[in-house]
Amino acid sequence: MASFRAQQSVNQRKTWMLLGSMFSLVAFVVYAVGLYFGQVGFSIVPIAVVIALVSVWGSYWASDKIVLTMTGAKVITEEDHPQLYNLVQEIVIASGLPMPKVAIVSDAAPNAFATGRNPEHGVIAFTTGLLEKMDREQIQGVVAHELAHVANRDTLVSAVAATTAGALALMSDLLIRMMWFGGNRQRNSGSNPLALVAALVALILAPIAATLLRSAISRRREALADATAIAYTRNPAGLRRALETLAEDSTVVNQKSTAVAHVWIESPLDARSTAKLFATHPPIEERIALLRKMENGQL
Amino acid sequence: MSTSTVIAIVIAVVILGWLIAQYNKLLRMNVAVDEGFAQIEVQLQRRADLIPNLVETVKGYAAHEKEALENVVQARARATAAQGVQDVSAADGMLTQALRGLLAVSEAYPDLKASANFAQLQEELAATENKVSFARQFYNDTVRILNQTVVTIPGTFFKGIAKVGEREFYEIEDPQNRQVPKVNF
């Protein structure tokens, strides 16, 4: 049953490897830019990084308020839903985290999310559909998954990933424009057309690669949250049955805003329209199979 | 100051900082274990507070289930008086058993099961039971981490100065196993 610890460390390690790849990608682009554009190219780098930082970290800092507004979640007190409050308190004790704000989204589709820049500002929310369709053990599994996101500081991880991907996208955008206007020619008269094409291809591909890495990180964090949830409840069956209910249910949360898609326990975007490589969540069947293995002690 | 003195001072400061960090780490872990145990006691207290209400409710519908009711009342009295990890955990185990017995008996009374008060009490009891067991689990995790640190390097070098040692796990034993075997001569 200690398999969840192994799962946790694997997912933590892979997150670091993916973040490392993202930073290497940035370093590579910066290097290529310097090689090709010289001093002018380098001046782009701080501009892109600052813009990315400003645009991402504002929403990171206020993530609890922004996500609550965008999803229409209402923060509740103990009297509004004593059982849900009890369930959250149980996992708070199991995890040693501070008590988060608990919110309910009025929506028939079963789903849940967690946000907040740190555990002290943690918010976890559940749709009314989830609370109606699931029993106590299932909701406990979902609560544990959401609090695992809080404990693992996934809002921070996704903010770092978004900043890196954003800076890269900005950099290549600005540089492609510069190439378009031939800003390099005076400085670099000896450059051959082949290098120009190579630079252009690299600049187009780098942001796509960054987006792929960002999705891969998100999937890792979901798998990590599943493993951490089991570390809290020591009961894979609860979360497994909860995911089965989510998989069977065809209703989808009544908002298709991709901006907050990554925060939900089950992706609100239609799985078929999203290519697997760009998916923010691992396929739900895989998550169920992994939890079932933990249940049977096969891991 | 020559370069070598500067280097020597830097090295001394780094080593001192590391020593302090190790010492503090052990103390912090020890406090975490104390906190973990305090949390168990808080939850056990909550459970003890729920019991008079539960006993009254069950009595209203099933007054003649004297044995099950007595067991719970007695186990509660023992649990509230218990002190120290071993005593508390033993009393906790007995009360858990007694409560299970009472709830099993209650199954036979449809009127009792249908009462709103009982349903609410059952949710409270289930939640408190879970909280108690998660508090135990959290406590045992902090003990496990402390004990691992204390027996391995470098923690083992510091346990003497920090006056921090291995701590007891919170184990609930089956009350039956704790009874001294009867011997007939």
Side-chain angles (χ1 to χ4, degrees):
Chain A
M1 262 305 277
S3 57
F4 55 83
R5 292 212 182 89
Q7 286 291 315
Q8 280 176 288
S9 55
V10 165
N11 284 304
Q12 288 284 24
R13 205 176 61 234
K14 288 195 176 162
T15 308
W16 285 113
M17 279 163 56
L18 288 163
L19 277 175
S21 320
M22 271 182 115
F23 291 135
S24 324
L25 192 65
V26 172
F28 168 75
V29 168
V30 169
Y31 171 74
V33 160
L35 219 59
Y36 194 81
F37 293 93
Q39 220 40 53
V40 189
F42 278 135
S43 64
I44 295 289
V45 177
I47 298 171
V49 169
V50 166
I51 294 175
L53 277 174
V54 168
S55 62
V56 172
W57 290 79
S59 61
Y60 160 72
W61 197 252
S63 57
D64 44 348
K65 295 183 189 77
I66 292 172
V67 175
L68 283 180
T69 314
M70 287 183 79
T71 55
K74 296 266 174 310
V75 175
I76 62 157
T77 59
E78 188 161 4
E79 288 75 45
D80 296 327
H81 203 306
Q83 192 188 45
L84 179 61
Y85 231 76
N86 270 337
L87 283 161
V88 176
Q89 281 172 340
E90 286 169 22
I91 305 301
V92 161
I93 289 168
S95 61
L97 291 167
M99 184 73 188
K101 284 200 185 97
V102 184
I104 292 184
V105 183
S106 182
D107 197 310
N111 223 331
F113 69 79
T115 185
R117 66 175 178 269
N118 56 23
E120 285 71 32
H121 289 81
V123 177
I124 55 175
F126 307 85
T127 62
T128 45
L130 182 133
L131 298 173
E132 277 159 24
K133 286 186 180 102
M134 290 187 187
D135 62 32
R136 200 175 197 286
E137 193 191 17
Q138 288 175 304
I139 302 176
Q140 189 189 55
V142 176
V143 169
H145 174 97
E146 298 309 334
L147 274 172
H149 277 308
V150 174
N152 295 332
R153 291 177 176 262
D154 283 337
T155 317
L156 177 62
V157 173
S158 67
V160 171
T163 312
T164 321
L168 209 54
L170 272 167
M171 261 160 35
S172 44
D173 191 52
L174 288 169
L175 289 165
I176 290 171
R177 278 164 211 274
M178 277 174 64
M179 288 173 91
W180 217 246
F181 295 113
N184 64 312
R185 263 171 223 151
Q186 297 90 335
R187 246 168 282 270
N188 232 343
S189 49
S191 71
N192 62 55
L194 214 64
L196 185 85
V197 171
L200 195 62
V201 170
L203 286 177
I204 291 168
L205 287 183
I208 299 172
T211 311
L212 287 178
L213 284 170
R214 200 182 150 188
S215 308
I217 288 172
S218 172
R219 291 197 298 273
R220 275 295 141 213
R221 302 313 282 185
E222 286 302 320
L224 175 63
D226 284 350
T228 309
I230 306 313
Y232 296 159
T233 63
R234 312 279 156 105
N235 177 18
L239 183 57
R240 192 255 305 156
R241 290 200 302 111
L243 290 177
E244 278 168 358
T245 303
L246 292 177
E248 279 163 27
D249 193 281
S250 55
T251 50
V252 157
V253 178
N254 195 13
Q255 46 163 321
K256 295 228 174 191
S257 164
T258 47
V260 287
H262 58 278
V263 302
W264 299 92
I265 185 171
E266 183 198 28
S267 176
L269 308 168
D270 182 12
R272 264 154 228 97
S273 70
T274 325
K276 200 179 162 188
L277 278 176
F278 288 98
T280 55
H281 288 57
I284 203 156
E285 294 78 20
E286 269 174 35
R287 295 168 67 189
I288 291 169
L290 195 64
L291 288 166
R292 204 182 276 280
K293 274 189 189 164
M294 284 193 199
E295 256 172 82
N296 303 332
Q298 287 167 337
L299 274 177
Chain B
M1 262 195 297
S2 67
T3 328
S4 52
T5 9
V6 172
I7 291 173
I9 290 171
V10 167
I11 291 175
V13 167
V14 168
I15 290 177
L16 193 68
W18 183 79
L19 290 174
I20 292 171
Q22 291 299 322
Y23 177 85
N24 285 347
K25 195 172 114 187
L26 274 189
L27 289 186
R28 260 199 296 274
M29 283 177 171
N30 203 37
V31 171
V33 172
D34 289 337
E35 270 177 14
F37 191 66
Q39 180 66 263
I40 299 179
E41 286 188 313
V42 168
Q43 297 310 325
L44 287 176
Q45 185 58 47
R46 271 182 51 103
R47 183 170 68 173
D49 292 346
L50 282 174
I51 286 170
N53 206 343
L54 175 78
V55 167
E56 282 313 305
T57 310
V58 175
K59 258 187 193 162
Y61 294 85
H64 51 276
E65 296 287 355
K66 286 215 174 64
E67 201 194 326
L69 286 164
E70 270 303 296
N71 279 346
V72 171
V73 173
Q74 271 175 15
R76 178 185 182 266
R78 256 197 70 178
T80 36
Q83 291 277 325
V85 176
Q86 274 202 354
D87 226 21
V88 170
S89 59
D92 170 14
M94 284 196 65
L95 184 52
T96 306
Q97 288 264 321
L99 278 172
R100 246 178 243 153
L102 184 62
L103 289 177
V105 164
S106 311
E107 287 295 307
Y109 299 87
D111 289 350
L112 172 60
K113 276 170 67 185
S115 88
N117 196 14
F118 187 66
Q120 202 193 331
L121 267 172
Q122 255 188 327
E123 161 59 27
E124 280 306 311
L125 263 181
T128 313
E129 205 61 59
N130 282 346
K131 285 173 190 170
V132 169
S133 83
F134 285 138
R136 277 184 214 127
Q137 180 182 301
F138 187 76
Y139 168 83
N140 282 338
D141 276 349
T142 57
V143 170
R144 184 176 56 82
I145 294 166
L146 175 72
N147 288 358
Q148 263 172 9
T149 313
V150 162
V151 297
T152 51
I153 295 169
T156 190
F157 300 141
F158 291 89
K159 66 179 176 195
I161 335 163
K163 295 192 180 70
V164 172
E166 281 185 70
R167 299 283 297 262
E168 254 176 303
F169 283 104
Y170 190 105
E171 278 156 314
I172 43 162
E173 295 143 72
D174 205 329
Q176 268 96 36
N177 299 344
R178 279 185 63 84
Q179 276 162 10
V180 183
K182 284 192 191 105
V183 184
N184 292 314
F185 291 104

